Amino acid sequence: MHARIAEALAQLIARDGETPPPPYVRRYLASHAQLGDALDDAHVPAELLPWATGAGIRGMLAASGAREPGSWLEAWATVEPYLHRADVPSRLASLQLAYAGLRFPRVPRARMPAEVASPPSSRLAVLWSQWTPPVNVLAKVAVPVHSLAAWTTLEGRPLLAAGDEHGGIEIIDPADGSAVGERITAHEGLVCRLLSGTRPGQGPVLVSGSADGAVRAWDPVHGSLIDQIRRPAGIWIDDLSAYRDAEDELAVLAVNGCAEVVRWNERMGAEDLLALPGETPRAGKVALTTFEDGTGRRLLAIADGTSLTFRDPEDCRHTAAAFDVPSPVRALTATTRAGQVAAGHADGTVTLWGTAGKTATLDAGAGPVTGLAALAVGSRHLLAACSANDIALWNTEQTGPAALLSGHSAPVTALTRVTVKGGDALASASLDNTLRLWDHQALDAALDAGSPAPPRVTNGVLARDDHTSSPWFALSGRHPGIDIWDVAGGTVVTSVPTEAAPAAVAWARRTQGRTLLWAGPDHGIRMWDAGTRTHLPDPLEGHIMRVRALAPLTTADGRHLLLSGSDDHTAKLWDLDDSSLLCDWHGHDLRVLTVAAATDHHGQDWYATAGADGTVRLWDIENGALRRPLRCMQGRIHTIGINPSPAAGLPPHLASAGQDGTVRLWDLLEHRPLNEPLTGHTSAVRALALWTLDSLGSFLASASDDGTIRIWNTANGHCLLLLATGSPVLTLTAHPSASPTRIVLAFAGEAGAATLELELGERQRKTP
């Protein structure tokens, strides 16, 4: 019946892409399709998705196990968490970009269906895309999450709690990624640990431990405080664990940075149980968990530095077993196999223990193991570990190399098992401000395939060649070599071998022809002639540390120059025709991360540098530094750009983007802010592109770690379009289009690369 209702509602949707569907259709069509086991493109047309206001479709797909590779629904799932407050044009453009990348990878626009390449109602035309963002983002959060816990309500509804670094707890429905109830203001400090349990006949209880030293028990249904287990103090909470005591009541154990263990249940309240000997506070972490041995006896495992002890949780003074461990323990958890405990170590290993001692050692890969989670998928007993930006995954019945779950773009901070339709799944949180859900299909696929191949584009840098009718883009990653792509067709024209992965790439003009430049491993700048397709013999040498940024410039009098910035705190200006060093500029206190150079319509040259010291400096060939540095108050400055010849009414200006997620505009003539900072990004901004369209004005594009690109009107600071990429964009360039109201953008990052054409003229649209 629900499937038939979905079919009937779908007939009410206009296919022009501009007419809003009726309110009931927007809100409930997808829900009817899910209830009718018909969550597919036929029952939920693509024209609905930008207008949908009901439960999250991404979560519905994950909960139902429905997955059609290359479908409109799967494309929507990759961008939906980033678009909750976006307007319809932004939602439509984001959906279109995602679908093109999933369904038509590297297919040029001329060979795509018209409804994909350039729908008449969209501002965006996809020229080609090899951009494949992850499909498992459950939610995008405003504040980084550091702890997770999951439980199932008395009605059988799974829920997920996320504790953030501002002391709050958000309850999230893993079925659709939506928030449940109001955020709980739980602590004055970071919520570093969460666990869940059930009070017999009374529903769930959620226990939180914080950096403020408090441990509190909550009723997550009403967001009310049940009890304060440990009051705020100067010592942080290290870990929490729970078990059912002899009275079948929930018992909670908490340990702080002084290795003091407290036990609590609702009937008896809190009692001090144990204080381990040693220095206080601890330099390392104290971790604990409870488990049952092979006979069903309940034991408490406590890891303190390089010692692991098993104790009776009712009488912690009694030690059942004690072991030395090879490296300090950062995390402990009971596995899904009886009598087994897993310990995550500072050296990146995971060890498995029973009451008789260590049974196995597993290698998690890079960095210390900061979190563990155990779950069962079918007959497999799985163990997951936080390993830098990835999640290491094992079947504990085997001791081979870890499979890797890749997708987070920043360190993973928390893991937990969550029960969804189809069985156990893994939820993860990261400093990239996303929560991700790895269902049993993803887990099985990772284990069966082993470690996946690295992304096609990683840490990519991309540069534009302005001096050819058939533009080329240079694209590099974490591995040696630079691929030269045709911007319109998405094909690799040629590949340039390099000794190592370049940290910076740029196209430049020399008298001899167009040249590709990149930063080599020996701190020199290498060159490749595009005409002869050969390496040039003499690199530009002078920096004593890694070169981070390159900016070429052809001046009004025809000189071909290059500005470079380096970890050695200097910027240098080179003459590319004779490879001579013209200027060696000093002034930055820390690494120079970004440089920009441009010539305005009066023939004045602008040279700018910025970096880790948070300042922008302007330079002159004859006089060196121009005025005082611009103190941007944005943290590290990751990228800058110059618009030397803006639209009428605007002076030549510079844009700076930093760690705080803002973009600031600076008047180059007056050496002052041009207007208020552009805000909206929730993570660091990594790339900028500035341009002017004579008929429309001046514009700016900013790309961020938050998985979005924003298009701004420079004159008034309005965000014209939000393009959800679903994965961080690391480099971005703008290129002129044949149309006076359009611009071609190219971008690259962890998820690949793409080029698209944006319409920036005013469009007449129907309103809801």
Side-chain angles (χ1 to χ4, degrees):
M1 180 59 72
H2 281 289
R4 291 175 62 190
I5 292 172
E7 289 178 4
L9 294 178
Q11 299 303 313
L12 302 177
I13 300 174
R15 305 296 169 160
D16 60 8
E18 295 189 350
T19 304
Y24 187 91
V25 175
R26 290 184 237 169
R27 187 166 183 81
Y28 294 113
L29 188 154
S31 297
H32 283 297
Q34 183 192 29
L35 292 170
D37 198 23
L39 196 59
D40 53 40
D41 286 353
H43 293 82
V44 185
E47 291 82 1
L48 168 73
L49 298 176
W51 302 91
T53 58
I57 290 172
R58 198 232 68 81
M60 290 183 183
L61 286 172
S64 65
R67 181 172 292 173
E68 284 185 76
S71 69
W72 284 101
L73 285 176
E74 185 180 28
W76 182 248
T78 68
V79 296
E80 182 186 37
Y82 303 84
L83 294 169
H84 289 308
R85 297 181 180 177
D87 58 16
V88 170
S90 296
R91 292 158 71 93
L92 175 61
S94 300
L95 171 63
Q96 180 190 347
L97 175 64
Y99 184 73
L102 289 173
R103 188 65 179 271
F104 300 100
R106 291 182 65 175
V107 174
R109 176 183 179 184
R111 289 169 32 208
M112 287 187 205
E115 66 271 16
V116 177
S118 185
S121 59
S122 176
R123 287 182 177 269
L124 180 147
V126 179
L127 300 184
W128 60 267
S129 175
Q130 194 178 333
W131 186 263
T132 52
V135 299
N136 68 332
V137 176
L138 176 65
K140 190 77 170 62
V141 295
V143 181
V145 167
H146 290 264
S147 53
L148 293 171
W151 70 95
T152 301
T153 67
L154 296 177
E155 298 78 23
R157 181 188 185 189
L159 291 175
L160 182 67
D164 63 46
E165 65 182 31
H166 290 178
I169 301 173
E170 194 85 57
I171 310 300
I172 295 169
D173 188 342
D176 59 19
S178 62
V180 178
E182 296 295 324
R183 177 176 180 269
I184 300 172
T185 303
H187 293 277
E188 296 298 321
L190 178 149
V191 181
C192 50
R193 290 291 292 152
L194 282 175
L195 66 82
S196 61
T198 302
R199 296 176 290 167
Q202 300 184 62
V205 59
L206 184 65
V207 182
S208 59
S210 170
D212 65 11
V215 181
R216 296 183 171 119
W218 304 88
D219 176 350
V221 176
H222 302 97
S224 57
L225 182 66
I226 297 172
D227 200 358
Q228 183 156 256
I229 300 171
R230 183 186 281 276
R231 296 188 178 279
I235 298 300
W236 60 93
I237 299 302
D238 257 344
D239 212 350
L240 301 173
S241 187
Y243 66 98
R244 311 298 302 187
D245 64 15
E247 304 294 329
D248 197 35
E249 293 185 346
L250 177 68
V252 175
L253 296 166
V255 62
N256 66 9
C258 288
E260 298 168 336
V261 181
V262 170
R263 182 175 62 200
W264 171 90
N265 68 27
E266 195 168 4
R267 177 171 54 88
M268 300 295 293
E271 59 176 320
D272 294 330
L273 207 61
L274 176 70
L276 295 176
E279 295 183 0
T280 57
R282 294 295 198 269
K285 182 179 176 66
V286 183
L288 55 80
T289 191
T290 57
F291 71 106
E292 291 184 358
D293 67 10
T295 66
R297 177 179 55 157
R298 175 69 61 182
L299 290 175
L300 168 65
I302 300 179
D304 183 15
T306 56
S307 68
L308 175 65
T309 59
F310 295 160
R311 301 168 183 264
D312 183 343
E314 300 296 326
D315 182 8
C316 285
R317 292 170 296 181
H318 172 65
T319 300
F323 309 100
D324 292 330
V325 296
S327 174
V329 175
R330 300 288 298 273
L332 272 179
T333 190
T335 72
T336 54
R337 300 181 68 187
Q340 189 180 69
V341 172
H345 298 275
D347 65 359
T349 62
V350 174
T351 52
L352 302 179
W353 300 82
T355 53
K358 184 171 66 174
T359 60
T361 299
L362 309 171
D363 185 4
V369 175
T370 56
L372 293 169
L375 64 162
V377 175
S379 61
R380 299 186 185 190
H381 297 274
L382 306 186
L383 181 66
C386 301
S387 178
N389 293 10
D390 299 322
I391 301 167
L393 183 70
W394 301 271
N395 181 346
T396 58
E397 296 177 340
Q398 302 171 355
T399 58
L404 291 181
L405 300 174
S406 299
H408 284 296
S409 58
V412 180
T413 53
L415 301 170
T416 193
R417 177 185 66 87
V418 59
T419 301
V420 295
K421 183 178 179 181
D424 280 0
L426 181 69
S428 60
S430 165
L431 294 181
D432 64 11
N433 285 23
T434 66
L435 304 183
R436 298 178 188 243
L437 191 67
W438 312 84
D439 61 20
H440 68 92
Q441 293 174 316
L443 299 173
D444 281 340
L447 288 168
D448 293 340
S451 298
R456 287 179 298 277
V457 180
T458 56
N459 235 357
V461 288
L462 184 151
R464 183 184 73 223
D465 179 7
D466 284 322
H467 304 285
T468 173
S469 59
S470 178
W472 286 358
F473 286 85
L475 191 62
S476 71
R478 288 184 186 152
H479 304 286
I482 303 171
D483 288 335
I484 309 298
W485 296 60
D486 171 54
V487 65
T491 57
V492 177
V493 177
T494 188
S495 293
V496 180
T498 64
E499 298 177 13
V505 173
W507 283 111
R509 264 288 176 186
R510 299 187 306 141
T511 301
Q512 297 89 337
R514 54 192 173 126
T515 305
L516 180 70
L517 305 103
W518 69 93
D522 57 356
H523 321 316
I525 301 168
R526 308 281 178 176
M527 293 183 283
W528 178 83
D529 187 282
T532 62
R533 300 195 180 187
T534 59
H535 288 77
L536 299 179
D538 299 318
L540 305 177
E541 296 180 332
H543 286 292
I544 60 174
M545 298 181 72
R546 177 171 54 175
V547 175
R548 290 275 188 166
L550 302 171
L553 175 68
T554 298
T555 65
D557 58 4
R559 291 182 297 169
H560 302 114
L561 308 180
L562 176 72
L563 178 62
S564 61
S566 166
D567 282 350
D568 62 14
H569 305 186
T570 71
K572 299 182 187 299
L573 188 66
W574 311 82
D575 187 317
L576 289 176
D577 287 328
D578 60 14
S579 298
S580 63
L581 178 63
L582 300 179
C583 299
D584 187 4
W585 290 324
H586 298 253
H588 284 286
D589 298 324
L590 296 170
R591 297 174 298 166
V592 178
L593 301 178
T594 178
V595 297
T599 298
D600 66 24
H601 55 270
H602 296 298
Q604 180 172 352
D605 300 327
W606 297 99
Y607 305 98
T609 61
D613 62 5
T615 67
V616 172
R617 292 177 179 268
L618 301 175
W619 307 90
D620 179 79
I621 291 181
E622 285 77 23
N623 303 312
L626 289 175
R627 305 183 186 178
R628 292 172 298 174
L630 301 171
R631 302 199 176 276
C632 301
M633 306 301 289
Q634 296 171 287
R636 290 190 302 277
I637 304 300
H638 294 294
T639 182
I640 57 176
I642 295 174
N643 189 335
S645 302
L650 288 174
H653 54 267
L654 176 143
S656 63
Q659 189 66 28
D660 68 350
T662 65
V663 178
R664 301 195 69 180
L665 296 171
W666 304 88
D667 184 329
L668 290 175
L669 300 179
E670 298 293 335
H671 210 69
R672 60 176 178 81
L674 187 59
N675 51 26
E676 293 298 314
L678 307 180
T679 60
H681 286 297
T682 58
S683 297
V685 176
R686 300 286 178 181
L688 292 172
L690 293 85
W691 68 92
T692 295
L693 297 178
D694 292 338
S695 60
L696 297 176
S698 295
F699 302 89
L700 179 151
S702 57
S704 168
D705 284 350
D706 65 10
T708 67
I709 297 173
R710 289 175 177 262
I711 312 299
W712 309 85
N713 183 313
T714 306
N716 55 28
H718 290 167
C719 181
L720 303 176
L721 193 73
L722 168 66
L723 188 61
T725 58
S727 185
V729 169
L730 303 176
T731 184
L732 175 71
T733 63
H735 187 81
S737 167
S739 167
T741 61
R742 291 175 175 258
I743 192 73
V744 173
L745 291 183
F747 61 88
E750 294 284 346
T755 61
L756 50 92
E757 191 174 46
L758 285 178
E759 171 62 57
L760 295 172
E762 291 295 328
R763 299 177 61 89
Q764 298 297 321
R765 294 182 176 274
K766 300 179 182 179
T767 57

